[in-house]
């Protein structure tokens, strides 16, 4: 081995040490970045004693994919949970005081009180006020459900905007990576940035990331719709400004393919996007239908029947709606009736009505509908019959998603139970999925991230090696000096 | 052995996440200790949530029914008192008549007894509470008996006088009335006069009451009807007995016929007394039912309150212990965090 060989070895070692030091400082700089993947140095010996240092970015794909998938699941569960929570807060979180079930109980109680003191005008006006509270709270709840759907629609739109902007960034950075890889430049930092973008996208929708040659990637939704391949694909969604009883909301299109709606080829069910669709099109629609059924059934319950021949149609009683004085068809969903239910003006003292008509019947002015035929002020049978019909089995539209044959009281109770069961499930799911997502992300960050202490101790090592190599160089230099001096002498 | 890597970010982040979780638990435990109720009832009960409302509704129904039962009890006892007064008045009336029958048959005394009996009877029958005439059944807004001596009873008075004229051809004040025999008088009383008190005439001439009593719900399922209304036979007998004297004792009847009149009146009044006793006992049965129902409601309410607390309450000892554990855990974490974060190789190089 010659002195020149020694010099070459020492020089390449010095260069290798410098490269390692720069890598370590990059790692130290990335200590606070959750998406940073630690670089590792692979040191190998070449021919003639040269040292080669390769910088690698080793991602454990299984950990990475689990982490990305868990992000989508957690975001999905949390979106659903928030949608339901909003609804439950509006009915009263502790005692459900604003829930139709509770209001219906109060209404029944007021009917019983009016029946217990039938000739007392203050009990019948108390009943009317109770009825008014019931109707307005149902109206309020209904408009909250509709605005909840509008909120979910906005959330879809904002999620789509975010995805589109992220896809735009992805297109730019991916192009740089592919070009850089082909021209053998260091693209590791760009890959970090790209992973950061993908991580953000993974909260919006479940991703399937397909790696290709030259560090190129292809990104699909987890159910196989193309979002990115060399160029970003268009994700389009037309938001709806306000929701009415019959509004369905627009579909989502990814790369021109319907990804939601009635008959989508591949509906998106993952991520925030899928969660918002579930809230807008399933949970709140069920709740909306249930409120409509409660309103329809209450109008029907208080409706008056022909007492003489029993042939005339049932007419609206204490409660009426936009289609009044007719009573809505039993067991058929009447969209929007929960928004239009109100106290019948004919019995409302505030509108010049006669509150005693609740006790006697014949609210609509037709004498055939009068229950209290003798006109006695102590007549309570009709009111007692109304109170007990709260517990009579009747039929409900299957669209409400609850048992179709049960009493109004039970229906309102099962609506509340359905809501709370959904909320309980959504909370459990959200807790579990976010815990899981935290664990995966933590495992990934823990395994892939940089540890300050480790990096610093490696730096010490590199420092020593650098000192040694430098010492070697100066020694060789001295040897050369001695040699050349000897030659000159 | 391969040691897994742990990044500095993960190390610190882990601690932060632990704090968030523990703080959430702390907030829940604090709320439970403070209120004694579950922190999130809807979440804990899920699909059983509506049972809280069902139980709550039942409890408030019971409370309301207890109040309305007290109305009912009030009504019934007021009517009992009225009927008791009627019996006293009836006995007094009989006593006055009997005294006269064995004595001088003073027409003024008879008249006085009759008009006082009629007056007291109408005030007892028309007893009202909160604007409701208690003896009027479901027609609670009209009088249970019209005032025979006043404007409302004018039709009845005219009908009684007409019946007499139709039977005998002259009024009781006509001199020829002295020719009426006791037998003729008796057949008038049992015939035309008695017809004035049949269902149809009673309803149109004498009373505004309904033969249907007011119905009240006294428990979850029990609906009771007030059994006593102004339509009862006992009240018709009372009226008939006193009207007989009021209307005819003052006329020109001969003394034997007046004796017959008084005897008939006494026997009608005696029938009325036994009739009222029957009405009182019917009323007593209902009073008993109402008070039994109220007692049962109290019992049910206790059971339901227990049930409610099982649904929504937390074991306060358990909650307090949990709170304590969380606080201890948090303190330990804080100490550990400070130690872990002060560890750095930078302090040594």
């Amino acid at each position: 081995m010659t002195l020149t060989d020694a010099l070459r070895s020492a020089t390449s070692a010095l260069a290798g040490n410098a490269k390692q030091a720069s890598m370590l400082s990059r790692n130290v700089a990335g200590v606070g970045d959750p998406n940073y993947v630690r670089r590792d140095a692979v040191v190998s010996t070449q021919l003639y004693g040269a040292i080669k240092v390769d910088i690698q970015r080793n991602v454990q794909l299984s950990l990475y994919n689990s982490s990305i998938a868990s992000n989508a699941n957690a975001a999905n569960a949390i979106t659903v949970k928030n949608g339901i929570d909003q609804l439950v807060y509006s009915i009263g979180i502790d005692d459900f005081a604003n829930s139709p079930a509770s209001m219906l109980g109060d209404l029944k109680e007021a009917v019983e009180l009016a029946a217990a003191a039938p000739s007392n005008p203050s009990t019948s006006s108390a009943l009317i006020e109770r009825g008014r509270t019931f109707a307005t709270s149902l109206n309020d709840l209904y408009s909250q459900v509709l605005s909840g759907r509008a909120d979910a629609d906005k959330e879809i739109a904002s999620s789509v905007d975010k995805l589109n902007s992220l896809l735009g960034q992805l297109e730019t950075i991916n192009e740089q990576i592919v070009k850089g890889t082909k021209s053998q430049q260091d693209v590791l930092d760009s890959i970090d940035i790209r992973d950061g973008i993908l991580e953000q996208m993974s909260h919006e929708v479940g991703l399937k990331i397909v790696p290709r040659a030259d560090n190129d990637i292809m990104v699909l939704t987890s159910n196989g719709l193309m979002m990115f391949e060399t160029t970003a694909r268009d994700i389009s969604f037309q938001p709806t400004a306000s929701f009415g009883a019959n509004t369905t909301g627009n579909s989502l299109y990814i790369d021109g393919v319907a990804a939601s709606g009635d008959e989508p080829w591949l509906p998106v069910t993952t991520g925030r996007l899928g969660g918002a669709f579930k809230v807008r099109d399933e949970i709140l629609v069920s709740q909306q239908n249930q409120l409509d059924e409660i309103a329809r059934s209450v109008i029907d319950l208080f409706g008056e029947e022909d007492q003489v021949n029993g042939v005339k149609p049932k007419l609206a009683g204490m409660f009426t709606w936009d289609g009044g004085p007719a009573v809505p068809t039993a067991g058929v969903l009447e969209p929007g009736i929960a928004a239009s239910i109100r106290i019948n003006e004919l019995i409302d003292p505030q509108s010049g009505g006669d509150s005693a008509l609740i006790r006697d019947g014949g609210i609509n002015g037709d004498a055939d509908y009068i229950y209290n035929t003798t006109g006695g002020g102590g007549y309570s049978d009709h009111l007692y019959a109304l109170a007990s019909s709260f517990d009579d089995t009747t039929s409900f539209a299957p669209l409400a998603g609850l048992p179709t044959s049960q009493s109004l009281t039970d229906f309102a109770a099962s609506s509340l139970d359905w809501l709370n069961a959904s909320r309980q499930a959504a909370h459990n799911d959200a807790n579990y999925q976010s815990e899981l997502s935290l664990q995966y992300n933590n495992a990934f960050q823990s395994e892939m991230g940089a540890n300050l202490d480790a990096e610093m101790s490696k730096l010490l090592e590199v420092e020593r090696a650098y000192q040694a190599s430098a010492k070697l160089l100066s020694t060789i230099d001295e040897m050369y000096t001695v040699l050349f001096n000897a030659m000159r002498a | 052995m391969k040691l897994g890597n742990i990044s500095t970010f993960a190390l610190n982040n882990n601690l932060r996440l632990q704090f968030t979780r523990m703080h959430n638990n702390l907030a829940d435990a604090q709320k439970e200790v403070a209120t004694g109720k579950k922190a999130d009832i809807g979440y804990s009960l899920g699909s059983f949530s509506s049972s809280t409302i069902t139980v709550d509704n039942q409890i408030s129904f019971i409370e309301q029914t207890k109040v309305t039962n007290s109305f009912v009890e009030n009504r019934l006892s007021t009517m009992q008192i009225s009927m008791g007064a009627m019996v006293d008045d009836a006995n007094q009336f009989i006593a006055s008549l009997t005294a006269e029958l064995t004595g001088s048959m003073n027409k003024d005394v008879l008249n006085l007894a009759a008009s006082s009996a009629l007056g007291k009877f109408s005030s007892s029958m028309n007893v009202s509470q909160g604007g409701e005439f208690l003896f009027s059944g479901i027609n609670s807004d009209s009088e249970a008996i019209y005032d025979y001596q006043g404007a409302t009873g004018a039709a009845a008075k005219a009908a009684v006088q007409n019946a007499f004229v139709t039977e005998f051809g002259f009024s009781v004040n006509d001199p020829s009335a002295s020719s009426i025999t006791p037998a003729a008088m008796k057949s008038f009383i049992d015939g035309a006069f008695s017809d004035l008190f049949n269902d149809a005439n009673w309803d149109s001439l004498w009373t505004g009451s309904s033969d249907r009593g007011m119905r009240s719900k006294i428990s979850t399922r029990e609906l009771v009807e007030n059994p006593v209304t102004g339509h009862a036979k006992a009240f018709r007998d009372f009226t008939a007995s006193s009207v007989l004297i009021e209307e005819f004792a003052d006329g020109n009847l001969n003394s034997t016929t007046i004796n017959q009149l008084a005897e008939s009146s006494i026997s009608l009044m005696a029938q009325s007394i036994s009739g009222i006793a029957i009405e009182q006992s019917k009323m007593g049965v209902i009073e008993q039912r109402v008070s039994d129902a109220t007692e049962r409601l109290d019992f049910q309410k206790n059971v339901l309150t227990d049930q409610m607390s099982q649904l929504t309450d937390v074991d306060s000892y358990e909650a307090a212990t949990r709170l304590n554990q969380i606080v201890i855990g948090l303190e330990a974490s804080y100490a550990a965090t400070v130690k872990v974060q002060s560890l750095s190789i930078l302090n040594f190089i």
Side-chain angles (χ1 to χ4, degrees):
Chain A
M1 189 161 166
T2 65
L3 211 52
T4 321
D5 282 344
L7 188 63
R8 195 187 301 133
S9 284
T11 319
S12 73
L14 209 55
N17 285 333
K19 206 170 179 182
Q20 283 198 57
S22 107
M23 177 205 81
L24 288 170
S25 71
R26 181 70 190 89
N27 280 350
V28 169
V31 152
D33 179 358
N35 293 317
Y36 182 76
V37 174
R38 193 182 69 249
R39 320 285 197 250
D40 286 313
V42 178
V43 183
S44 55
T45 312
Q46 307 289 83
L47 275 178
Y48 311 113
I51 301 297
K52 185 166 177 264
V53 176
D54 275 328
I55 309 293
Q56 289 186 345
R57 182 182 181 276
N58 286 323
V59 175
Q60 274 192 29
L61 267 181
S62 61
L63 259 182
Y64 180 70
N65 286 336
S66 313
S67 156
I68 290 284
S70 71
N71 283 343
N73 290 338
N76 185 282
I78 288 171
T79 311
V80 171
K81 184 198 90 158
N82 289 344
I84 297 181
D85 268 355
Q86 208 185 359
L87 201 58
V88 174
Y89 291 145
S90 63
I91 64 162
I93 186 89
D94 278 337
D95 48 5
F96 319 117
N98 275 331
S99 68
S102 169
M103 306 290 285
L104 213 52
D106 292 346
L107 184 64
K108 185 185 170 196
E109 209 173 292
V111 175
E112 304 244 4
L113 185 65
S119 65
N120 187 343
S122 67
T123 57
S124 54
S125 38
L127 169 58
I128 288 175
E129 286 318 310
R130 187 51 83 186
R132 199 193 311 282
T133 317
F134 175 78
T136 46
S137 80
L138 210 55
N139 300 154
D140 285 350
L141 214 51
Y142 197 71
S143 71
Q144 274 172 23
V145 170
L146 290 180
S147 70
R149 290 184 65 200
D151 288 347
D153 196 73
K154 281 195 199 85
E155 186 151 12
I156 295 169
S158 91
S159 178
V160 166
D161 284 349
K162 193 167 179 195
L163 273 176
N164 277 327
S165 111
L166 288 170
L167 282 171
Q169 295 172 28
L170 187 65
E171 186 175 327
T172 320
I173 199 89
N174 192 60
E175 195 183 344
Q176 283 175 18
I177 291 169
V178 174
K179 278 186 183 158
T181 312
K182 281 180 177 155
S183 55
Q184 296 187 332
Q185 290 166 2
D186 181 2
V187 292
L188 295 185
D189 281 355
S190 302
I191 292 179
D192 273 340
I193 296 173
R194 187 177 70 187
D195 281 356
I197 294 172
L198 290 171
E199 199 270 343
Q200 286 187 57
M201 282 175 65
S202 72
H203 292 281
E204 306 303 320
V205 68
L207 300 182
K208 189 188 274 176
I209 300 165
V210 183
R212 302 202 293 188
D214 296 325
N215 284 326
D216 188 16
I217 54 163
M218 193 164 88
V219 182
L220 301 92
T221 62
S222 54
N223 55 348
L225 292 170
M226 184 62 74
M227 291 200 290
F228 179 82
E229 196 270 331
T230 314
T231 55
R233 300 304 163 88
D234 187 40
I235 302 179
S236 68
F237 174 75
Q238 197 62 46
T240 309
S242 80
F243 275 71
N246 291 306
T247 316
T248 42
N250 293 316
S251 279
L252 174 75
Y253 292 92
I254 296 179
D255 199 15
V257 180
S260 76
D262 279 345
E263 283 175 34
W265 294 352
L266 296 160
V268 165
T269 54
T270 49
R272 183 155 78 110
L273 209 48
F277 271 111
K278 186 172 180 190
V279 170
R280 190 194 76 174
D281 295 344
E282 290 174 33
I283 295 171
L284 292 186
V285 169
S286 295
Q287 180 67 12
Q288 192 184 329
N289 291 345
Q290 288 167 13
L291 291 178
D292 274 333
E293 278 299 278
I294 289 171
R296 184 195 58 69
S297 177
V298 165
I299 293 173
D300 187 53
L301 187 149
F302 279 93
E304 297 186 333
E305 275 161 351
D306 180 357
Q307 295 299 299
V308 179
N309 299 312
V311 290
K312 295 191 187 172
K314 204 172 186 180
L315 290 179
M318 180 170 154
F319 292 100
T320 189
W321 58 301
D322 284 350
V327 165
T329 322
V332 178
L333 187 70
E334 184 67 49
I337 194 168
S340 78
I341 184 173
R342 59 178 184 274
I343 285 284
N344 199 333
E345 293 77 11
L346 298 168
I347 52 143
D348 184 0
Q350 286 183 11
S351 317
D354 179 6
S355 65
L357 292 177
I358 302 179
R359 179 192 67 205
D360 298 339
I363 291 173
N364 293 288
D366 188 336
D368 288 358
Y369 290 83
I370 291 176
Y371 289 75
N372 184 12
T373 43
T374 58
Y379 174 82
S380 59
D381 288 7
H382 181 43
L383 286 170
Y384 275 129
L386 283 178
S388 77
S389 60
F390 276 73
D391 298 316
D392 290 347
T393 305
T394 168
S395 59
F396 292 94
L399 271 174
L402 298 174
T404 53
S405 179
Q406 53 181 336
S407 73
L408 176 57
T409 306
D410 290 346
F411 184 84
S414 52
S415 167
L416 180 71
D417 285 346
W418 170 86
L419 187 62
N420 274 307
S422 312
R423 175 166 178 262
Q424 192 184 41
H427 267 250
N428 286 341
D429 195 32
N431 285 345
Y432 169 70
Q433 294 292 359
S434 16
E435 189 68 20
L436 205 61
S437 165
L438 278 179
Q439 297 298 342
Y440 276 126
N441 281 319
N442 217 10
F444 181 75
Q445 283 157 2
S446 184
E447 199 61 45
M448 298 291 110
N451 181 310
L452 187 64
D453 294 354
E455 302 302 320
M456 290 310 289
S457 66
K458 279 184 202 159
L459 196 61
L460 287 179
E461 231 173 83
V462 171
E463 196 183 342
R464 290 290 166 211
Y466 189 88
Q467 280 175 356
S469 302
K471 183 74 185 163
L472 212 55
L473 272 183
S474 68
T475 313
I476 293 168
D477 183 47
E478 272 172 35
M479 287 165 78
Y480 269 122
T481 314
V482 170
L483 186 62
F484 289 145
N485 284 343
M487 282 164 69
R488 210 179 299 150
Chain B
M1 184 177 98
K2 184 183 185 297
L3 276 179
N5 182 56
I6 174 149
S7 71
T8 309
F9 179 84
L11 193 65
N12 291 334
N13 198 37
N14 245 344
L15 292 165
R16 193 175 55 77
L17 293 175
Q18 287 297 338
F19 287 142
T20 324
R21 196 172 307 148
M22 284 168 110
H23 282 155
N24 279 338
N25 292 342
L26 185 67
D28 282 353
Q30 234 172 345
K31 190 175 172 192
E32 291 187 351
V33 169
T35 61
K37 303 227 175 288
K38 286 173 183 156
D40 186 339
I41 293 171
Y43 173 70
S44 336
L45 296 179
S47 59
F48 300 104
S49 301
S50 69
S51 37
T52 61
I53 288 189
T54 313
V55 174
D56 199 42
N57 282 344
Q58 280 171 334
I59 291 177
S60 57
F61 169 78
I62 286 175
E63 276 163 1
Q64 177 173 302
T65 310
K66 280 171 68 184
V67 172
T68 56
N69 278 2
S70 74
F71 296 166
V72 175
E73 278 175 333
N74 242 332
R75 257 183 229 151
L76 296 180
S77 65
T78 310
M79 286 170 78
Q80 281 287 26
I81 292 168
S82 277
M83 287 194 283
M86 285 177 206
V87 173
D88 289 348
D89 296 342
N91 280 326
Q92 211 180 338
F93 180 76
I94 291 176
S96 312
L97 255 60
T98 318
E100 289 307 311
L101 212 50
T102 52
S104 60
M105 277 315 266
N106 185 327
K107 286 182 179 178
D108 289 343
V109 176
L110 288 181
N111 259 330
L112 201 64
S115 68
S116 116
L118 265 180
K120 286 190 216 161
F121 179 67
S122 103
S123 81
S124 295
M125 280 296 279
N126 288 336
V127 63
S128 74
Q129 206 172 66
E132 288 176 351
F133 290 102
L134 300 183
F135 281 94
S136 292
I138 63 166
N139 290 350
S140 58
D141 33 17
S142 43
E143 286 181 326
I145 192 101
Y146 298 140
D147 181 10
Y148 189 75
Q149 293 139 322
T152 49
K157 197 175 175 77
V160 170
Q161 287 167 354
N162 273 341
F164 189 89
V165 173
T166 314
E167 178 87 11
F168 300 109
F170 41 77
S171 86
V172 73
N173 294 322
D174 195 285
S176 19
S178 60
S179 64
I180 296 171
T181 61
M185 192 66 204
K186 186 159 180 6
S187 85
F188 166 65
I189 292 170
D190 294 344
F193 183 74
S194 163
D195 283 349
L196 289 172
F197 298 90
N198 66 20
D199 284 347
N201 284 331
W202 181 251
D203 203 41
S204 62
L205 296 173
W206 303 93
T207 180
S209 71
S210 164
D211 57 348
R212 278 207 29 216
M214 238 166 113
R215 290 189 187 164
S216 312
K217 207 171 186 181
I218 56 166
S219 70
T220 356
R221 301 245 166 259
E222 246 177 315
L223 199 62
V224 295
E225 183 169 330
N226 190 328
V228 179
T229 77
H231 268 249
K233 176 83 166 47
F235 305 133
R236 304 187 201 186
D237 289 342
F238 194 113
T239 316
S241 161
S242 44
V243 161
L244 214 48
I245 302 297
E246 160 90 2
E247 202 58 50
F248 304 123
D250 201 21
N252 285 323
L253 296 177
N254 61 49
S255 60
T256 48
T257 311
I258 290 188
N259 277 353
Q260 175 60 51
L261 196 67
E263 273 164 21
S264 295
S265 175
I266 288 170
S267 96
L268 276 172
M269 197 53 99
Q271 272 182 44
S272 170
I273 291 173
S274 60
I276 290 175
I278 293 171
E279 299 299 320
Q280 279 180 312
S281 68
K282 283 195 220 160
M283 190 74 101
V285 172
I286 298 297
E287 277 182 303
Q288 188 60 44
R289 272 180 76 181
V290 176
S291 82
D292 285 353
T294 311
E295 227 167 85
R296 271 202 310 279
L297 287 175
D298 274 329
F299 179 68
Q300 277 176 9
K301 192 184 157 192
N302 290 342
V303 174
L304 287 168
T305 316
D306 275 1
Q307 214 176 327
M308 189 71 175
S309 87
Q310 275 172 20
L311 284 170
T312 60
D313 290 3
V314 287
D315 177 356
S316 48
Y317 293 108
E318 191 269 344
T321 318
R322 188 148 39 86
L323 183 68
N324 233 356
Q325 278 171 348
I326 294 171
V327 171
I328 292 170
L330 261 178
E331 279 170 354
S333 303
Y334 288 148
T337 309
V338 172
K339 284 218 184 299
V340 168
Q341 298 214 327
S342 66
L343 275 182
S344 171
I345 199 170
L346 294 175
N347 298 334
F348 303 94
I349 54 175

